Amino acid sequence: MHDDIPNDVDPSARAASRSPALLGLLAVVGLEFLALVVVTVVLIVELLVAPAASIASGIALTVLVALAALWLGALLNGLWWSRSWVRSGIIVWQVLQGAVAIGAFQGVFRVAAVGWVLLIPALLGITLVLSKSVTAALARPVD
């Protein structure tokens, strides 16, 4: 697989050249990743301590959340190393998170606080990933 940035670039020089928007995006995606890891651990503990009415559904939900956490971790790693492929994945993640947030605002089990906690970082993440400085930092080099 082709890397966009050579491995011989000094990490301290790369960190010094990061824009505030890129640092903000790193913080948003990092916090989302940590939240998903916590949710995965809680689901595993809950599955062991108080089994769900449907064990298969509980296991499936836990596996899906764990896979989402791995995916977000890969996006965070790619964002840290300024890989261009992370932009699309981050946008997809923020849109999915926004959809879950909208679902939290409506329905029988609506909890507006959860909706806001999910929607604000999603909107912030989309805004930051589409900003000029992040787009420039993640652009592929011209061959």
Side-chain angles (χ1 to χ4, degrees):
M1 180 177 215
H2 175 69
D3 281 340
D4 298 325
I5 299 173
N7 290 330
D8 60 347
V9 174
D10 183 22
S12 60
R14 181 190 319 254
S17 67
R18 290 189 175 127
S19 68
L22 185 58
L23 292 174
L25 184 61
L26 275 165
V28 168
V29 175
L31 289 173
E32 290 170 346
F33 170 68
L34 288 176
L36 264 185
V37 168
V38 168
V39 168
T40 302
V41 170
V42 167
L43 285 174
I44 290 170
V45 169
E46 192 172 289
L47 191 62
L48 297 174
V49 173
S54 170
I55 297 294
S57 295
I59 292 171
L61 178 64
T62 304
V63 168
L64 285 174
V65 172
L67 287 173
L70 287 173
W71 178 44
L72 202 54
L75 290 174
L76 182 61
N77 186 40
L79 184 61
W80 178 259
W81 293 106
S82 300
R83 303 294 189 218
S84 63
W85 55 265
V86 300
R87 287 187 69 223
S88 59
I90 290 173
I91 290 172
V92 167
W93 175 256
Q94 303 306 332
V95 168
L96 290 173
Q97 185 172 316
V100 172
I102 290 170
F105 287 121
Q106 42 189 309
V108 178
F109 302 108
R110 64 181 165 259
V111 181
V114 172
W116 287 114
V117 166
L118 293 172
L119 187 61
I120 291 171
L123 293 174
L124 184 60
I126 287 177
T127 303
L128 289 172
V129 80
L130 295 176
S131 68
K132 286 184 180 185
S133 61
V134 172
T135 302
L138 298 178
R140 285 187 173 191
V142 178
D143 291 332

